[in-house]
Amino acid sequence: MTLKVSLLTGPPGCGKSHTMLATAIAQPGRYVFCSPTTALIEEQFSAVVAAGVRAFRCDSASNLRGTVARKLSDTILRVKKEELSHVVIFITHIAMFAAQTETFQGW
């Protein structure tokens, strides 16, 4: 399985998140955004939704049921079932470290 990972580095406030979000909004695809805090997820999630892109939060503060791992698993299944081709999922860094890489097959 091939998994494409993009990593953008730079100092705080240089526009990394805005650059990556703009790409995810402009170019249809399936994206996973990992953030260090749920507060940052909330901010980024709102921006994507405001742009009209389907987005899901799979963090402890989301309104989905279950553990974060369960939220992520259920969301991935939903995306596949609904055949969503332009979607962004937001998770924390910790959730990404815990996730199985095959979870994101085809993303």
Side-chain angles (χ1 to χ4, degrees):
M1 169 180 61
T2 302
L3 182 65
K4 180 183 176 187
V5 176
S6 296
L7 180 64
L8 192 59
T9 63
C14 73
K16 299 179 300 289
S17 296
H18 293 292
T19 299
M20 293 173 71
L21 285 174
T23 299
I25 289 167
Q27 297 178 5
R30 293 179 174 173
Y31 298 89
V32 179
F33 273 76
C34 304
S35 297
T37 66
T38 56
L40 186 54
I41 287 175
E42 185 174 327
E43 177 186 319
Q44 294 173 338
F45 175 82
S46 296
V48 170
V49 170
V53 176
R54 192 77 180 269
F56 298 93
R57 288 182 61 171
C58 297
D59 61 291
S60 60
S62 75
N63 61 356
L64 301 174
R65 287 185 160 190
T67 64
V68 171
R70 173 71 185 269
K71 292 173 188 183
L72 181 58
S73 176
D74 288 352
T75 300
I76 295 288
L77 289 174
R78 182 176 179 180
V79 167
K80 288 179 182 178
K81 182 179 178 181
E82 294 181 21
E83 298 179 352
L84 300 175
S85 60
H86 193 187
V87 63
V88 181
I89 292 178
F90 292 92
I91 62 176
T92 61
H93 292 158
I94 292 170
M96 184 62 172
F97 289 133
Q100 300 295 324
T101 56
E102 54 270 3
T103 300
F104 302 107
Q105 185 174 1
W107 285 65

